[in-house]
Structure formats: structure tokens, C-alpha cells
Amino acid sequence: MQILGAVLMVLGPVLAAVLAVAVPVLFGIMAYDVIASRRAQRAEGGAVEPAWAEAAERRIQLERGFGRAFVILGGAFWGVAAFAGLFSFRETGAREALLAAAVPLFAALVTLVIGWYWERMAAIMLTLASGAVVYWGVITQFELGVWMLITIFLIGPMLTAAVLFWLARQEYKALEFKLAHAELAPVPARH
């Protein structure tokens, strides 16, 4: 048991560091692929979008990517924390610890799936979940250290992801409107 605890203590931060690097790199690769495919489409004679539209799309993709990264990293962090907490401190079996770790991982997966198609719904879900965590903390009378931990690693990232999802959707709707109504597009200044 002590060996497993030591392995989890060493492997947890290493996996968190790998995840912290891998997720942004993965989103960067996805963004590069989208940009490269659009450039190829333009070279083949596809529709040319104005520079402001391309910049807006890039910003929207960044907001979506960072929102998704917050959800993924939060789910991974709280899954590992739930497993390690139950397995090490309460000395429950691996089965109970794995079941407890599955809850935040499943919640993150559901949030990602919903956020992929319905960003506003994901933003509302994350905001309500943040409120539920605050309510839970008040009801169970968290100590100051627990409040700090929960605020920094749960409430803050959930609200940040919610704001990013909401902004990405709002800006996407605005971009669609501007592209559909070309007469409303900004006019470049003349020199």
C-alpha cells in the first residue's frame, strides 16, 4: 500500500504537468489545422473572408480552446484528488476510490460534450455548479483553507470556463451576423 501511495504522489504531479502541456499543444495543433485548411481553400479559389473575420474566428477558437482546457484540467485534477484522498487518507479500497474519481471525470466529459455543441448551456451549467459548490461550502461550514482550495481550483476555473464559453458563443453569433450582412462590416480607414 505504501508503494502505491508513493507512486501516486510522484505520478500525480507528473501526469498533471503532462496534461497541462498536452492539452494546450493539442488545441494549438487543432487551431493550426483549421487555419491551414482555410488557407488551402483560399488558394483553391474558395471564398475569401476579410481580415477582421479571420481575426475574430481566431479569437473565438482561442476562447473555446481555453474554456475546454479549463474543463479538462479541472476534471483531471479533481478526479486524481478524489482518488488519492479516498485511497490514501480514508484507506478505502481501490474500487470505491475509482468510483469517486469517476464522478468529476464524468462531469467534465458531460460538460465538454454539451459545451461542444451548446456553449451557452455549458456556461449556465458551470455557473450553476459554481453556485452549488458555494452553497455546499456554506452548509458544511468549510474552513478557510478549504475555501481557498475550492475557490482557486474549482470555483474560479468553472466560472472562467463559463465566461469563455459564453463569450465565444456571443462573438460567433456576432460574426455570423456581420458575414451575413456585408453592408454592416467595418470599413478600413483610407490613408
Side-chain angles (χ1 to χ4, degrees):
M1 288 295 175
Q2 291 176 348
I3 293 173
L4 182 59
V7 167
L8 285 175
M9 286 177 56
V10 170
L11 199 57
V14 169
L15 288 175
V18 167
L19 199 60
V21 171
V23 170
V25 166
L26 179 64
F27 284 117
I29 291 171
M30 289 169 40
Y32 175 77
D33 184 47
V34 168
I35 291 169
S37 66
R38 288 194 180 140
R39 286 185 183 155
Q41 179 186 13
R42 284 188 202 128
E44 294 173 2
V48 178
E49 294 179 350
W52 57 266
E54 188 173 319
E57 285 182 16
R58 207 172 313 125
R59 186 177 57 250
I60 292 167
Q61 292 302 327
L62 279 174
E63 288 170 351
R64 285 178 177 158
F66 278 112
R68 291 171 185 157
F70 273 110
V71 171
I72 291 169
L73 291 175
F77 174 81
W78 286 105
V80 169
F83 179 80
L86 285 177
F87 192 75
S88 298
F89 299 125
R90 293 193 182 173
E91 297 181 0
T92 62
R95 181 174 177 242
E96 289 84 9
L98 285 173
L99 286 174
V103 171
L105 293 173
F106 181 72
L109 180 66
V110 167
T111 304
L112 279 175
V113 168
I114 290 174
W116 207 274
Y117 298 105
W118 302 287
E119 290 167 325
R120 288 183 185 158
M121 179 67 75
I124 292 169
M125 284 175 39
L126 288 165
T127 304
L128 291 176
S130 297
V133 169
V134 171
Y135 178 75
W136 175 49
V138 170
I139 294 298
T140 59
Q141 299 176 352
F142 285 167
E143 296 176 359
L144 179 62
V146 177
W147 272 115
M148 289 173 40
L149 178 76
I150 292 293
T151 301
I152 293 170
F153 291 109
L154 186 61
I155 296 170
M158 282 197 307
L159 287 177
T160 304
V163 168
L164 289 171
F165 280 138
W166 191 269
L167 286 175
R169 185 61 186 165
Q170 290 296 101
E171 291 177 7
Y172 182 74
K173 294 294 275 184
L175 179 65
E176 280 184 333
F177 183 77
K178 284 182 182 178
L179 290 175
H181 303 284
E183 66 275 4
L184 299 176
V187 178
R190 295 184 186 182
H191 295 284

